[in-house]
Structures are given as structure tokens and as C-alpha cells.
């Protein structure tokens, strides 16, 4: 009996406890339809990656606190005041490899590539590599037309104007590239730094600027007993004094380059032809070639002067600055009132398949990438003067040099930039240079390079006869010198007529040759070269015959 009562009491207690527990739990939870109003300023930060589009929480939600985070991540309402969010950068769907057609030397290209591929710009536009293609200027148009090329970089304004008129450049389009181009002056020292089309679009913009002159090795001059104050103008490089060094030592004191292999030397020959006039300019170029060894490239000319193999060599300014740094005996000379300041362009080609990436590279070259020019091994003048105001530490990081070195480079090149900016220059007709460039290059090669030995023999014998042996008088010397250096009169291979190679004739022949080349006909160039070479050979041999040779 007692046992039954105990069981009944225990069951009653259990039932009572269950009832109390249910009552307590229902009181804590509250009604399931209770509305909560979370504060807008107390958003829950997503724990999973989201897009960079800012989101904003709705002012009220009808959900429990437990599901609030899920609702927020689905919201896509743009915020009027976006704030930075930490997000993962999506992987590149397709890595980009840029093809860059260039005339720049390897030191510039290597340093630019290394710096660019480390940049945020390269990462943003998925650019994983830059492939440089180095071709002589005459092959650029066909290369761009025949296969994809993204960027043209380096080679001078005449080359890029040729590309522009051939229709193989496309105007800048992206805001990023256009903003970068705005930082480069339209004109510098009287010369345009951009090619702007009739519709106002920019087809090329200068990435660097340069002047043109010659570099002297003062140690070599001292060894030869030569007064370097005699070397101030282009005409001085064609002087009898330099010719007598060749006579006395058997070594040409001057170095120049083949115009078909050097755009900078081509530009200098064009400068001389405009500074002195067409026919007098060719007299000077003829005697410069006679006083010189003609090398294949402009870098070879620079190195010959640095290494003491030559007294003087014609150089673009940054080769002169590099020579001064590597050999303190070297000195760059800008012929006062006989030279120009040039821009060295960069452009997007019509065959690019990576427009945004290509223009991003161009924009980098015109902005941060200007630091590469300041590297002591390069020493180029930047086209964008804002680079001089960038923090030196940042410039040093981009160029890969120490801060002290970069500080010295900024001071040096900023000073040279200001000097060049106010330099006395000639009025250079870029259109005229463009209309005669092809014929000028091939005439130079046919008469001064391919017949160089015969030209130099005639010149040295003429100098020897007058200055050493004294077998001819001054009048005869000047007459034979005039014969040696005059432009040729040749039989035109097309018309069959005897014509003199005047500026007018050069304009005519240049047009004929360009038309033939546009049709894939290269034989006409050879015909004209043969005609010019035959006429030049005849006048050189005439001088030798007059001297008893």
C-alpha cells in the first residue's frame, strides 16, 4: 500500500515538472510572429567573398535575428556612398600576352618589361608577358597588316607618321590612356609630341624626348693632338682636319650608322639636309661618310666612342649621356642652332586583339613607367615632366635602383630637360622628311655605304695631294672636292632620261618607289640604287683619275 502511494506521488511530481518546463520555455521564446527591427548601422559583415558592388540593408526586415545575415547577402541595392570592402580578386579568365613592335635597344626593353610585369596595372589587366619584336622600320607596316601586333614603341616620329598614313594605327580610346596622354605636352621646344588626326583623336604620343648631336672622346682627342673646340657643328664632322687624321693614322676618326638600320641616324641625316639645304647637305654627308667608318647600328657608334675606338660619333642625346656616365672622358655636343628636339612615340596598332590591355601598357609607359628612363643605364629624357615630382623612393622602386642613385638621376635629367627645352633649334619640316625618307635612305646606302671604300680612297688621295704632297693647288683641290661631293646625275631607270638628284627629283622618286612597294614590288628600289651607284662610282673614279690614280 505504501509502495503504491510512493509511485503515485512520484508520477505527480514528474507531471508537475514537465508542465513548469513547458511554461518557462514558451515564455522565453515568445510568439513566433514577433517583429524585429535591426539597426542599419549594425550590419553583419559577410564571412564569404562577395562582389565589389556595395550593398545596403533594407530599413526593416521581418525575419528573426538568426536569419538576418542570409537576407543581407542577397541584397543588391547599390549604396549611394560606397565604402571599400575586402574582396578576393577574381582569377584572370584569359592571361594576356602583348606583342610590341619596337626599335628600342635591349636594355630599355628588359627594364621596362621587368618593372611593368610587377605593376598593379599588369595584374589588373591580366598581362602575363610582353613579347618584343625588333624589325627595321621598312618592315613595320607589313608586319602589322599580316599578323596581330598590339603596340608600336620607339623609332621616331617619321616612322610613326608612316604608320599613321598607312592606316595601321588606331586612335586612343580608353579613358585611362587618354588621361595619361594629357600629361604629355602637345609641343616641346617647337616640335609636336603627338600625332592628332583631323577628328582630334590621338594616334601616337611621345613617351620620351631627345635631341641629336655627337659625342666626343676627349682622351682620344688629346692623344691625337686634336683641338675639340673645332667640333661644334655638323659641318665640322666633314672637315679636312678630321680627314687628315684618317690620312696620318689610317683610322677613321668618325663613326656613323647605316640609315636603314638606325632611325636616330636617319633623323640626323634629315636634320643636316634641312639645316644646310638639300645639295649642300649631301656634300656634308658625303664627306662625313668619307671621314667615317659606317657601322650597322647607333649603339655600335656610341660604344666605339666610349671604348676609345673613335674620336667622335653622331649620337642621339641619351647615348651621349650614357657615354658621359660610363666614360667621363666623353662629352655630348648639341650643334647649336643646327639640331632639333624629337619625341619618341608609342602607339596602338590597328591589328591589336587586346585593346584594353594594350592601352593600359601605353598609359603605364606614359606615367609610372617614365621612371625607367631615369635609370642610370638608360638616361633618357621623359616626355611627361610630372615624373620629376614623383617621390624619389617610388621612382627608385620602379626603376630598380637605390634611392641615392635615383635622386642624383632626377637632378641630372631634370637639369638636361630644362636645357633642351630652351635650346636653339632649326625649324624642321617633318612632312618633307616623311616625303623623302625612303629615297634618302637608299641613295645614302647606294652612294656612301656600298661604295664606301672607293669614296674613302678618293678622299684620302685628294687630301694627300693637297696637304701632304702639295702636288695640286687650292683651286684644283676645291674643284675636285666639289666633284667628289656633288649629288649625282643619273639615268632614270623608269623614264630613261638623265636627271640630277635634286630635292624635286627626290620627291618624285620617293613617290614612285612608295607606290611600287605598296604593290609588293621591291625591284624598282634596286633599279634606282643601281643607277645611283653607277653615277657615284663614275664621279669617284673621275677624281681618282685626275689625281693620277
Amino acid at each position: 500500500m505504501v509502495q503504491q502511494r510512493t509511485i503515485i506521488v512520484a508520477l505527480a511530481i514528474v507531471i508537475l515538472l514537465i508542465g513548469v518546463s513547458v511554461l518557462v520555455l514558451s515564455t522565453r521564446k515568445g510568439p513566433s510572429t514577433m517583429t524585429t527591427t535591426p539597426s542599419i548601422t549594425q550590419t553583419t559583415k559577410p564571412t564569404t567573398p562577395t562582389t565589389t558592388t556595395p550593398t545596403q540593408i533594407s530599413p526593416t526586415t521581418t525575419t528573426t535575428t538568426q536569419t538576418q545575415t542570409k537576407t543581407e547577402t542577397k541584397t543588391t541595392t547599390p549604396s549611394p556612398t560606397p565604402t571599400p570592402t575586402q574582396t578576393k580578386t577574381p582569377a584572370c579568365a584569359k592571361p594576356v600576352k602583348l606583342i610590341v613592335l619596337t626599335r628600342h635597344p635591349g636594355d630599355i626593353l628588359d627594364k621596362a618589361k621587368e618593372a611593368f610585369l610587377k605593376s598593379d596595372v599588369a595584374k589588373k589587366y591580366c598581362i602575363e608577358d610582353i613579347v618584343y619584336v625588333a624589325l627595321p622600320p621598312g618592315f613595320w607596316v607589313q608586319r602589322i597588316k599580316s599578323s596581330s601586333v598590339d603596340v608600336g614603341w620607339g623609332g621616331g616620329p617619321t616612322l610613326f607618321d608612316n604608320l599613321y598614313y598607312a592606316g595601321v594605327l588606331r586612335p586612343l580610346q580608353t579613358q585611362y590612356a587618354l588621361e595619361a596622354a594629357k600629361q604629355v605636352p602637345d609641343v616641346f621646344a617647337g616640335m609636336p609630341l603627338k600625332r592628332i588626326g583631323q577628328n582630334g583623336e590621338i594616334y601616337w604620343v611621345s613617351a620620351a624626348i631627345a635631341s641629336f648631336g655627337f659625342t666626343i672622346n676627349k682622351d682620344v682627342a688629346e692623344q691625337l693632338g686634336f683641338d675639340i673646340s673645332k667640333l661644334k657643328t655638323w659641318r665640322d664632322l666633314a672637315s679636312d682636319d678630321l680627314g687628315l687624321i684618317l690620312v696620318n693614322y689610317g683610322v677613321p676618326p668618325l663613326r656613323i650608322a647605316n640609315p636603314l638600320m638606325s632611325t636616330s641616324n636617319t633623323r640626323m641625316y634629315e636634320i643636316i639636309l634641312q639645316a644646310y639645304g638639300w645639295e649642300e647637305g649631301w656634300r656634308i654627308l658625303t664627306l662625313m661618310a668619307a671621314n667615317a667608318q659606317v657601322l650597322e647600328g647607333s649603339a655600335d657608334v656610341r660604344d666605339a666612342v666610349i671604348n676609345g675606338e673613335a674620336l667622335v660619333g653622331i649620337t642621339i642625346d641619351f647615348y651621349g649621356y650614357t657615354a658621359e656616365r660610363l666614360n667621363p672622358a666623353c662629352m655630348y655636343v648639341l650643334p647649336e642652332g643646327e639640331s632639333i628636339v624629337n619625341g619618341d612615340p608609342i602607339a596602338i596598332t590597328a591589328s591589336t586583339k587586346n585593346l584594353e590591355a594594350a592601352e593600359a601598357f601605353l598609359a603605364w609607359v606614359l606615367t609610372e613607367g617614365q621612371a625607367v628612363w631615369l635609370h642610370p643605364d638608360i638616361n633618357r629624357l621623359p616626355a611627361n615632366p610630372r615624373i620629376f615630382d614623383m617621390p624619389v623612393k617610388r621612382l627608385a622602386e620602379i626603376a630598380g635602383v637605390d634611392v641615392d642613385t635615383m635622386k642624383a638621376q632626377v637632378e641630372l635629367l631634370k637639369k638636361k630637360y630644362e636645357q633642351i627645352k630652351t635650346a636653339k633649334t632649326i625649324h624642321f619640316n617633318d612632312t618633307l622628311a616623311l616625303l623623302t625618307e625612303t629615297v634618302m635612305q637608299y641613295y645614302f646606302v647606294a652612294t656612301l655605304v656600298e661604295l664606301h671604300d672607293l669614296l674613302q680612297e678618293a678622299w684620302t688621295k685628294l687630301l694627300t695631294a693637297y696637304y701632304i704632297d702639295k702636288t695640286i693647288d687650292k683651286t684644283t683641290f676645291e674643284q675636285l672636292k666639289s666633284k667628289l661631293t656633288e649629288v649625282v646625275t643619273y639615268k632614270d631607270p623608269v623614264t630613261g632620261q638623265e636627271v640630277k638628284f635634286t630635292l624635286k627629283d627626290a620627291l618624285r622618286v620617293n613617290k614612285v618607289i612608295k607606290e611600287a612597294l605598296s604593290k609588293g614590288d621591291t625591284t624598282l628600289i634596286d633599279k634606282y640604287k643601281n643607277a645611283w651607284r653607277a653615277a657615284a662610282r663614275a664621279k669617284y673614279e673621275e677624281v681618282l683619275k685626275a689625281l693620277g690614280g
Side-chain angles (χ1 to χ4, degrees):
M1 193 69 178
V2 174
Q3 205 173 20
Q4 289 178 342
R5 286 176 182 167
T6 302
I7 292 171
I8 292 170
V9 171
L11 288 170
I13 291 170
V14 170
I15 292 169
L16 179 63
L17 288 173
I18 291 171
V20 171
S21 298
V22 170
L23 179 62
V24 170
L25 288 171
S26 63
T27 303
R28 287 183 179 178
K29 185 176 181 182
S32 60
T33 56
M34 176 179 274
T35 302
T36 63
T37 308
S39 168
I40 297 176
T41 59
Q42 294 177 342
T43 57
T44 304
K45 184 177 180 180
T47 57
T48 56
T50 65
T51 63
T52 55
T53 304
T55 61
Q56 179 179 343
I57 302 172
S58 176
T60 60
T61 62
T62 56
T63 184
T64 63
T65 306
Q66 185 178 359
T67 59
Q68 181 178 333
T69 301
K70 183 177 180 181
T71 304
E72 289 168 5
T73 56
K74 288 184 178 179
T75 306
T76 58
T77 308
S79 169
T81 54
T83 54
T85 57
Q86 292 182 349
T87 60
K88 289 184 179 179
T89 303
C92 292
K94 182 182 178 183
V96 175
K97 182 184 293 185
L98 290 179
I99 307 298
V100 178
L101 201 53
T102 184
R103 292 294 300 159
H104 283 313
D107 52 357
I108 291 175
L109 300 176
D110 291 343
K111 288 178 173 60
K113 179 177 179 177
E114 181 181 1
F116 176 72
L117 293 179
K118 291 178 181 177
S119 72
D120 292 337
V121 177
K123 295 178 179 66
K124 179 178 179 181
Y125 290 89
C126 300
I127 303 169
E128 68 170 11
D129 195 14
I130 298 175
V131 176
Y132 295 119
V133 178
L135 286 175
F139 295 93
W140 279 39
V141 171
Q142 184 58 34
R143 178 65 168 80
I144 294 170
K145 287 182 176 180
S146 63
S147 60
S148 178
V149 174
D150 298 300
V151 178
W153 186 28
T158 302
L159 167 58
F160 278 74
D161 277 341
N162 269 320
L163 302 180
Y164 169 69
Y165 289 114
V168 295
L169 297 184
R170 64 184 304 161
L172 302 186
Q173 296 179 24
T174 65
Q175 193 63 28
Y176 186 29
L178 291 169
E179 288 295 328
K182 284 182 182 178
Q183 297 181 30
V184 176
D186 290 344
V187 177
F188 183 86
M191 291 296 291
L193 296 187
K194 299 171 186 173
R195 169 57 64 191
I196 300 175
Q198 294 181 348
N199 53 6
E201 293 179 306
I202 300 173
Y203 283 85
W204 61 252
V205 57
S206 298
I209 57 176
S211 65
F212 300 86
F214 44 87
T215 301
I216 301 168
N217 188 310
K218 293 179 287 186
D219 284 349
V220 174
E222 185 176 356
Q223 293 166 9
L224 295 173
F226 187 85
D227 181 4
I228 61 172
S229 68
K230 293 181 178 180
L231 298 177
K232 294 180 179 179
T233 69
W234 298 115
R235 190 187 293 277
D236 294 337
L237 302 183
S239 69
D240 297 356
D241 288 334
L242 284 190
L244 287 169
I245 292 176
L246 174 61
V247 170
N248 291 326
Y249 294 91
V251 178
L254 175 63
R255 297 293 185 276
I256 62 176
N258 184 329
L260 290 175
M261 301 303 294
S262 170
T263 53
S264 63
N265 275 239
T266 290
R267 183 55 106 190
M268 284 183 267
Y269 303 147
E270 291 169 336
I271 290 169
I272 291 168
L273 290 171
Q274 291 198 24
Y276 291 92
W278 184 260
E279 295 193 30
E280 183 62 20
W282 276 112
R283 291 188 185 279
I284 291 171
L285 290 177
T286 301
L287 291 182
M288 281 175 58
N291 284 338
Q293 179 180 353
V294 184
L295 303 178
E296 281 303 290
S298 55
D300 298 326
V301 173
R302 172 201 63 192
D303 292 346
V305 179
I306 292 172
N307 297 333
E309 298 166 10
L311 166 64
V312 58
I314 62 174
T315 59
I316 195 168
D317 62 353
F318 69 92
Y319 274 179
Y321 303 152
T322 297
E324 290 174 340
R325 186 182 68 83
L326 295 178
N327 184 349
C330 291
M331 177 179 72
Y332 173 72
V333 176
L334 176 67
E336 189 70 18
E338 290 187 5
S339 190
I340 64 170
V341 175
N342 234 19
D344 202 2
I346 185 169
I348 306 301
T349 73
S351 63
T352 181
K353 295 180 180 178
N354 305 290
L355 178 61
E356 287 193 354
E359 292 207 5
F361 174 70
L362 176 145
W364 180 86
V365 168
L366 297 180
T367 53
E368 264 197 356
Q370 296 279 285
V372 173
W373 303 133
L374 307 183
H375 193 287
D377 291 343
I378 296 176
N379 275 316
R380 292 209 67 170
L381 296 180
N384 185 349
R386 295 188 190 184
I387 198 68
F388 293 124
D389 299 323
M390 185 181 285
V392 173
K393 183 177 180 181
R394 178 61 182 142
L395 291 173
E397 288 173 355
I398 298 169
V401 298
D402 62 82
V403 173
D404 289 341
T405 297
M406 181 53 70
K407 183 178 180 181
Q409 283 296 107
V410 169
E411 292 175 357
L412 171 68
L413 292 178
K414 187 174 183 180
K415 180 180 179 181
K416 291 187 179 294
Y417 180 94
E418 294 300 328
Q419 290 173 344
I420 294 296
K421 189 176 181 180
T422 58
K424 184 179 179 183
T425 59
I426 66 169
H427 176 71
F428 186 81
N429 188 332
D430 197 58
T431 301
L432 179 61
L434 186 65
L435 292 175
T436 56
E437 182 166 283
T438 300
V439 73
M440 181 278 289
Q441 289 174 316
Y442 283 103
Y443 178 85
F444 189 107
V445 170
T447 63
L448 305 182
V449 178
E450 294 175 350
L451 294 178
H452 186 258
D453 288 348
L454 186 61
L455 166 64
Q456 207 161 66
E457 180 186 0
W459 176 232
T460 54
K461 285 193 174 181
L462 180 59
L463 289 168
T464 300
Y466 179 61
Y467 286 100
I468 308 299
D469 297 339
K470 301 186 185 301
T471 54
I472 59 174
D473 58 21
K474 184 173 179 60
T475 299
T476 304
F477 174 75
E478 293 297 340
Q479 288 174 345
L480 292 176
K481 185 177 179 180
S482 178
K483 168 59 67 175
L484 185 73
T485 59
E486 67 184 7
V487 292
V488 301
T489 297
Y490 67 102
K491 185 177 182 179
D492 189 287
V494 175
T495 66
Q497 297 179 342
E498 291 287 325
V499 288
K500 188 175 181 181
F501 189 64
T502 60
L503 176 57
K504 182 178 179 180
D505 183 60
L507 288 165
R508 176 188 66 84
V509 176
N510 197 83
K511 184 178 180 181
V512 171
I513 288 177
K514 295 285 281 187
E515 288 175 352
L517 287 174
S518 69
K519 298 174 183 177
D521 179 9
T522 59
T523 61
L524 191 59
I525 286 180
D526 291 332
K527 291 177 181 177
Y528 272 101
K529 282 182 64 184
N530 290 339
W532 295 328
R533 190 187 306 110
R537 181 186 298 278
K539 67 170 182 168
Y540 299 158
E541 289 177 345
E542 183 179 342
V543 171
L544 283 170
K545 184 177 180 181
L547 294 169

